[in-house]
Amino acid sequence: ARSWSRGRAAGSTPRYCSPRTDEDRFAIVVVRVTLGVVLALGLLTWAIVSLWARGAESVDSPVAQPPDAQPMLVDEVLSGDTVVLTSTRAGAQVPLFGRLTARLVGLDAPDLGRRFGTDVDQCFAPEALARLEDLLPAGSIVWVTTDAATRDPSGDWLLNVWGSDGRLVNYLMAVGGYAEVPDSAADTRYGQILADGEHQALVSFGGMRGACR
């Protein structure tokens, strides 16, 4: 005849489990709630950044491209505020021919570590780089003007840049929350407009304003 035992094989040593206490049950609940809150916050942050990025695509430029802007070609985007351009001819704005490195006037984007020999990027630096690459794709034509100061201390040109769609890229980076507008921007031609754009990003937690708090 076959021998049966309830819940264990015949001849095995019975095992006993201590019943869960109220403290154990409470700890489990706390862990589950904490994990749920962390997951929800992560999803909320992702949603805010994604929605803001989509909305930024339809933002209009408050400054029309001026008639004296100089055309250039985009070679490469180095960071969220720095690009390499090619001047196809010397012009009234930039009296040079050839490649030049330019920073967008009135902006301070988070830095990529590789530009300074490290592997550590500042918060939202890759996103700022990607956004500027979208606005200024390699090979596209842009239009530029200089400002009160034409170069920064490192020798890079300081430019206001309009994309091929006629929108002021400096403003789009500020209103999208991809770069800060430092106090020194107040002395630039479009400083107040950039500050207004940054304010919109601040109140809406757009871009780095929502992701880097």
Side-chain angles (χ1 to χ4, degrees):
R2 183 175 293 180
S3 175
W4 298 88
S5 63
R6 295 181 180 178
R8 62 185 179 88
S12 63
T13 302
R15 292 177 295 177
Y16 299 95
C17 296
S18 301
R20 287 179 177 172
T21 64
D22 291 340
E23 289 79 3
D24 293 334
R25 295 190 183 93
F26 178 75
I28 292 173
V29 171
V30 170
V31 170
R32 289 176 177 173
V33 170
T34 301
L35 291 175
V37 170
V38 171
L39 177 60
L41 289 175
L43 290 173
L44 179 60
T45 299
W46 174 84
I48 290 174
V49 172
S50 298
L51 289 173
W52 183 265
R54 292 176 185 175
E57 296 292 340
S58 61
V59 172
D60 290 328
S61 172
V63 181
Q65 176 185 307
D68 62 343
Q70 181 175 337
M72 292 192 180
L73 292 175
V74 177
D75 283 349
E76 181 184 5
V77 175
L78 301 180
S79 70
D81 59 14
T82 306
V83 297
V84 178
L85 304 174
T86 293
S87 174
T88 56
R89 59 179 175 80
Q93 302 293 333
V94 179
L96 294 176
F97 172 80
R99 285 164 54 94
L100 59 94
T101 301
R103 291 194 60 189
L104 274 63
V105 173
L107 297 184
D108 184 12
D111 291 320
L112 292 161
R114 66 174 182 242
R115 295 196 64 204
F116 301 95
T118 73
D119 296 326
V120 181
D121 297 331
Q122 291 185 343
C123 181
F124 223 64
E127 291 83 354
L129 170 68
R131 177 56 175 157
L132 194 55
E133 287 177 331
D134 288 340
L135 294 170
L136 302 177
S140 63
I141 298 176
V142 297
W143 301 81
V144 307
T145 63
T146 53
D147 212 282
T150 57
R151 299 200 186 207
D152 68 9
S154 66
D156 293 341
W157 285 85
L158 296 171
L159 300 177
N160 299 296
V161 180
W162 284 263
S164 56
D165 59 1
R167 296 187 297 171
L168 179 60
V169 176
N170 308 53
Y171 175 78
L172 297 179
M173 293 297 289
V175 75
Y178 294 97
E180 295 180 337
V181 179
D183 293 340
S184 58
D187 299 326
T188 64
R189 184 178 306 170
Y190 305 118
Q192 186 55 56
I193 292 173
L194 297 182
D196 291 343
E198 182 186 39
H199 178 71
Q200 292 185 44
L202 282 169
V203 298
S204 302
F205 299 108
M208 63 188 294
R209 301 304 183 179
C212 302
R213 290 183 295 157

